[in-house]
Amino acid sequence: MKDWAGVGEAYASSYAPLCAGTLPALRDALGGARGRSLVDVGAGDGTLAAAWASEGWSVTACEPEPSMRAASHRRHPEIAVVAGGLPELPFADGSFDVAAANFVLNHVASPRSSAAELGRVSRGAVVATTWTLSPSWLWAEITDRSGVPPFAGERLPADEDFERTADGFERMLRQAGLHRLVVTEVEWVWSARPEALWRSVEGGVAGAGALYSGLDERGRQRFRAAFELVVDERSVGGVLPLEHRAAVGVSAAP
């Protein structure tokens, strides 16, 4: 699993807008706030938590990583941020009307127990997402063209892992005990600024950042050259239109 320590500012300046691309689907699934409370688990820099709050939800953000919490405090001081993370959240049973986890269950050591924990702290719905086409496809192309060895991140053991498809995500959530479950797949295009993408690399964000941090100077030069080549080939009007897909799971109270 990727170590996210210390990457809060780099993440906020790069991938946070991409990950917020699921917001329309989450909003449609939950409907209006209607005075309800929501805990955003693995809230990162607070982008989604702030969006929920602006739509009338009573929001608590929960985030285990200190630099992410610091980024959230700086950008969204109105959002309460609690230190904590899956699979054991610091809340009583049924503390919130909704528990949300956007691109979190694909980063934890035990997805099923973590999904069950979301169900424990919610007295209503659980909403969660995972990538079915993540940003890694772009970095895999860049890595291949650079000629550097690909990043070999730690894999989940077979009994913990799940198929990264909408059907695989649904099976995992059902195995976790979530009820009245509906899983759909959404897709969108992220218009990424090249400088933001490169900031994520230099800041150590995700697999590409971990790969880059482990390269020697020559390897870094080759990786940067391959990145610039892909940018030149793919850019439209100064941005890279990058396709992404995600599975969105919604579980209602039993």
Side-chain angles (χ1 to χ4, degrees), residues 12 44 53 63 77 79 136 158 171 174 219 230:
E63 170 58 46
I79 301 296
S136 61
R171 283 193 296 272
R174 291 192 185 280
V230 170

Side-chain angles (χ1 to χ4, degrees), residues 113-128:
S113 61
S114 295
E117 181 73 348
L118 296 174
R120 182 188 69 78
V121 302
S122 175
R123 56 180 173 264
V126 170
V127 292

Side-chain angles (χ1 to χ4, degrees), residues 22-31 36-42 48 52 57 86 96-105 114-115 117-119 121-130 169 172-173 178-184 247-253:
T22 55
L23 180 59
L26 297 174
R27 183 193 294 121
D28 290 346
L30 293 177
R36 289 183 289 171
S37 62
L38 180 148
V39 60
D40 185 2
V41 178
L48 274 188
W52 291 121
W57 292 84
L86 294 168
F96 304 95
D97 293 308
V98 174
N102 191 47
F103 300 119
V104 176
L105 296 180
S114 295
E117 181 73 348
L118 296 174
V121 302
S122 175
R123 56 180 173 264
V126 170
V127 292
T129 65
T130 193
F169 193 47
M172 186 274 288
L173 295 176
L178 298 186
H179 303 276
R180 296 169 58 191
L181 187 65
V182 176
V183 177
T184 57
V248 178
V250 184
S251 172

Side-chain angles (χ1 to χ4, degrees), residues 5-80:
V7 304
E9 281 299 322
Y11 170 81
S13 300
S14 56
Y15 282 119
L18 165 63
C19 294
T22 55
L23 180 59
L26 297 174
R27 183 193 294 121
D28 290 346
L30 293 177
R34 303 190 302 276
R36 289 183 289 171
S37 62
L38 180 148
V39 60
D40 185 2
V41 178
D45 73 329
T47 295
L48 274 188
W52 291 121
S54 71
E55 297 183 0
W57 292 84
S58 174
V59 176
T60 299
C62 185
E63 170 58 46
E65 208 288 306
S67 72
M68 291 285 197
R69 295 197 302 271
S72 181
H73 282 305
R74 282 190 289 272
R75 286 166 171 74
H76 310 289
E78 74 282 5
I79 301 296

